[in-house]
Amino acid sequence: MLPPLSAAAFPPNPSFEQEGVAWTTVGDAQVSWPKGNRTAGARCLKLRGGWVISDPARPEDGVSGWQQLSFLARLESADAKLAVAFTDRAVGDSAPQLLLSRKALPPPRWHRVEVQMLAPRGHSAHLAFGSLGEGAWLIDDIRLEPHEPPAYDPVDDAPTLMEPLPVGWEPEGLLDARARVIADERELLVEVSGIEISMPDRVETNRAYRGGLRLYANNEGQVDKQLTIAVQAPPGFYVPARTVPIRGGGATVIDTSVQCLITGQYWLRIEFRCGDEVRAAPLQVQVGPSYPAFGAAWTGAAPLSTEQFQAAMTLPVQLHQVPFSSLDEGAEMVRLIPQGTDLAALLKPPWSAEECERAVAALGERASFFGLYHEQPTAQFDLAGELTASLAQAIQDAGLEARVLRAPLDLGADGKPLCSAEEMHALAGEGVAAAATLRLPPLQAPTVAGLQVDRRPSPEPLSRWVSLSECYDLSGTASALPGKHKDLPLVVSELCAQPSGSPLLDALALARVVSAVAYLDATALTAAARPADSPPGADALSLLTSAGDPRPAIAQVWAELTRELAGARPAVVLKGTDEISVSPGAPIGFRPFLRGDEGILALWNNTGAEVELAVEVRCVPLDLHTLEIGVGRIRKHYQGLFRFSQEAHWLRKPLIFVKLQPTQFDLLSMQLKDAHPAWLAGVDFKPFIPRPEKPRDDPFARTER
């Protein structure tokens, strides 16, 4: 319980002992000051049909950033909803930070509500309460104090990465390996501490796929040993060191990751450690394309530079959307686009068939995509459709394999197109096999975290977080696109957001939307590269700052999402519940994916309470990468040798237990034995686990005499 605040604290007149002093009604709101809760004072606020707004906070009140708001509330009649918001305007908020229903605060008793909310930074904040719908709410005893998001201890199993190799590195000979040929196949042999390891000298894999390198470790001794495998690679690879047991007197098969996020041919140095002995072998890797690709949109008028592209490649970026007018300044501009990445060349207005032909001739095979582009919703639907056909014909005449992108289709805040069905068909062009490009409106991250009612965490969904999932669920829009079928790409372009005041909160909203878009089986997903590439006032998601540095929190989350979701395809959902499902309105949401031999699962908590979940798998995990994003931190950890917990053994089920704080987003990715599209059996709440008196199958357990 928060202590009562003094009369000088914000908000003024917090228990309405002075009736409406320091509070203002908005619109048709009806207010009165009847007898209040007897423990809080003589009066309270009765609010019906509108908003009441406090006087603004003073600088010395410190109302900025995360705040813990506490108040008493009671529903007096009917089914009105209680809305709460911090605002920098003396008007009601059409999208309140918190919306409470009769179910959350059942009448007729008073309830103590405690909620963590983000107040506007750098502005004079007002506190607003609204009664929406038929009925009236009683409000009393408002208390406020600064809130720090929970601190988290660093994980003890963080990924261990080796120093990258220089770009263009090549080995001198076979390092510590020797070669042999079996049935016209060349392989390398490495011996370390009595373990003989055989491996190919070259592998082919797809962009972002883990796995790809199969090793055979033969331990001729009778003693079990631990083998650590570490991969040293040029920039663009992400391969944590991994330790696996090698049983004595036999061979162990190890599927090792060589994940690379850009295409091309590279040399790697594979290091094997057992005890104090270290040996190394070279490996050549050929990386081909896979989709979805995660990219950057350089669509603004600001000039491009080598330094900007180099900064973006540290994430890394797999696809670049660049206007042809920027690339048409000379061959040097084309060479700015880093090798190993896709180029989507965009033609800005004025459009013409001649410009389409010139772009295709100038860029040739360097571009993977060609498309029309406009900065604002266009009214030239017929012209866009006609020139999309011209662009497709120019690509066909040049004998190129590049794909065609339609002009962007702008969506409203509800995720629906801003144009009519007839205009959508005109935009698509008659009989043109072109990819749809969807452009979302600027995101608005919800600015509310945990919720407690009567000193207990509330399992009620936080309405703004549920609305975020519902507004940016594009499954209906994507399926209704004209000419859409499984062989045509779908590009979601130029993600952007209005700043919430918390970069971590913006990153959390980004992770939610990206996982939902990836589940559409989209071909590409891009975010604004620089503030200049974002709409005015909506640069919170640009990957780089104005100074050209990776944007804090956003760049890190984008890099992690690229590693975990690039190249991933939607997986089968076998079962769900009303509370936990792939439905956009579910209190607990999840999305499963499959990438090669990897199962990937995105999970998020829309409620105000901590939840514990049980993820049931139908394939055996071999390792486990975990990414956690919350209002107070971003962290990742890696379990190189996965083992089911003791609790899962007690239940005799293949369960992985996950704990989610309010609004938290988790991404689990695991290499699976015999992976298939239905690898996920289901997600449910963690069951009660009766601890046995003694562990099962434990030969050393104590026995009664």
Side-chain angles (χ1 to χ4, degrees), residues 64-67 85-87 97 116-121 445-449 500-503 505:
S64 178
W66 283 104
Q67 303 288 316
F86 284 110
T87 178
Q97 290 170 275
Q116 293 83 49
M117 299 168 58
L118 191 67
R121 296 183 185 272
T447 50
V448 59
S500 68
S502 167
L505 212 53

Side-chain angles (χ1 to χ4, degrees), residues 413-434:
D414 58 355
K416 302 296 190 295
L418 294 177
C419 61
S420 66
E422 292 77 11
E423 290 169 330
M424 287 174 57
H425 280 277
L427 183 67
E430 188 67 31
V432 181

Side-chain angles (χ1 to χ4, degrees), residues 262-625:
I262 53 179
T263 61
Q265 183 172 282
Y266 307 93
W267 280 102
L268 279 58
R269 179 180 176 273
I270 314 297
E271 186 175 281
F272 304 97
R273 296 194 297 268
C274 184
D276 296 330
E277 196 169 337
V278 180
R279 295 290 184 269
L283 177 71
Q284 191 177 60
V285 179
Q286 180 68 43
V287 184
S290 68
Y291 298 94
F294 284 59
W298 309 82
T299 51
L304 305 176
S305 70
T306 303
E307 292 75 18
Q308 292 172 343
F309 281 108
Q310 289 176 344
M313 285 308 296
T314 63
L315 302 181
V317 166
Q318 300 173 322
L319 178 144
H320 298 273
Q321 287 181 306
V322 185
F324 173 62
S325 55
S326 298
L327 298 171
D328 196 30
E329 297 174 3
E332 286 298 325
M333 298 304 296
V334 177
R335 283 196 287 268
L336 281 180
I337 309 300
Q339 292 299 314
T341 63
D342 288 341
L343 169 62
L346 306 178
L347 280 74
K348 288 186 172 183
W351 298 321
S352 68
E354 293 76 17
E355 186 72 358
C356 293
E357 295 174 359
R358 197 167 71 85
V360 171
L363 297 178
E365 295 182 352
R366 181 60 188 93
S368 303
F369 302 89
F370 289 90
L372 302 182
Y373 180 80
H374 56 84
E375 294 181 353
Q376 301 295 331
T378 181
Q380 299 176 298
F381 294 100
D382 292 331
L383 178 60
E386 177 184 334
L387 290 179
T388 299
S390 299
L391 190 56
Q393 187 62 50
I395 293 172
Q396 182 178 341
D397 293 345
L400 302 177
E401 296 182 357
R403 299 201 176 185
V404 185
L405 304 179
R406 301 174 193 164
L409 178 64
D410 288 282
L411 306 181
D414 58 355
K416 302 296 190 295
L418 294 177
C419 61
S420 66
E422 292 77 11
E423 290 169 330
M424 287 174 57
H425 280 277
L427 183 67
E430 188 67 31
V432 181
T437 302
L438 302 181
R439 189 160 55 191
L440 298 174
L443 307 182
Q444 289 184 313
T447 50
V448 59
L451 173 65
Q452 299 82 38
V453 175
D454 299 327
R455 304 185 187 183
R456 295 183 178 181
S458 172
E460 287 298 304
L462 298 172
S463 57
R464 287 293 301 277
W465 285 103
V466 174
S467 297
L468 179 75
S469 300
E470 293 175 334
C471 290
Y472 297 103
D473 173 51
L474 305 181
S475 54
T477 299
S479 61
L481 291 172
K484 178 75 175 75
H485 58 79
K486 65 180 182 179
D487 296 326
L488 286 180
L490 172 66
V491 176
V492 177
S493 179
E494 303 162 81
L495 284 180
C496 58
Q498 299 173 1
S500 68
S502 167
L504 276 172
L505 212 53
D506 295 331
L508 184 56
L510 173 66
R512 300 279 200 95
V513 173
V514 166
S515 61
V517 170
Y519 200 66
L520 289 176
D521 203 13
T523 300
L525 175 67
T526 67
R530 306 161 295 178
D533 303 310
S534 308
D539 62 354
L541 297 187
S542 69
L543 303 179
L544 304 178
T545 64
S546 299
D549 301 318
R551 183 177 293 275
I554 298 300
Q556 181 184 355
V557 166
W558 187 261
E560 300 295 345
L561 294 172
T562 300
R563 277 193 281 269
E564 304 304 336
L565 291 177
R569 309 295 297 274
V572 175
V573 177
L574 294 181
K575 65 178 180 180
T577 67
D578 292 339
E579 296 83 10
I580 307 173
S581 75
V582 297
S583 169
I588 311 296
F590 71 92
R591 300 286 188 276
F593 300 87
L594 183 69
R595 179 173 64 187
D597 62 353
E598 274 187 284
I600 302 170
L601 179 64
L603 292 158
W604 55 87
N605 179 9
N606 284 329
T607 76
E610 176 185 282
V611 295
E612 293 189 76
L613 304 176
V615 177
E616 185 173 358
V617 296
R618 301 178 73 234
C619 302
V620 177
L622 303 177
D623 67 353
L624 177 63
H625 294 259

Side-chain angles (χ1 to χ4, degrees), residues 143-162:
R143 309 177 184 189
L144 190 71
E145 70 175 15
H147 170 74
E148 287 294 330
Y152 293 84
D153 296 330
V155 296
D156 55 8
D157 54 353
T160 301
L161 303 173
M162 297 191 74

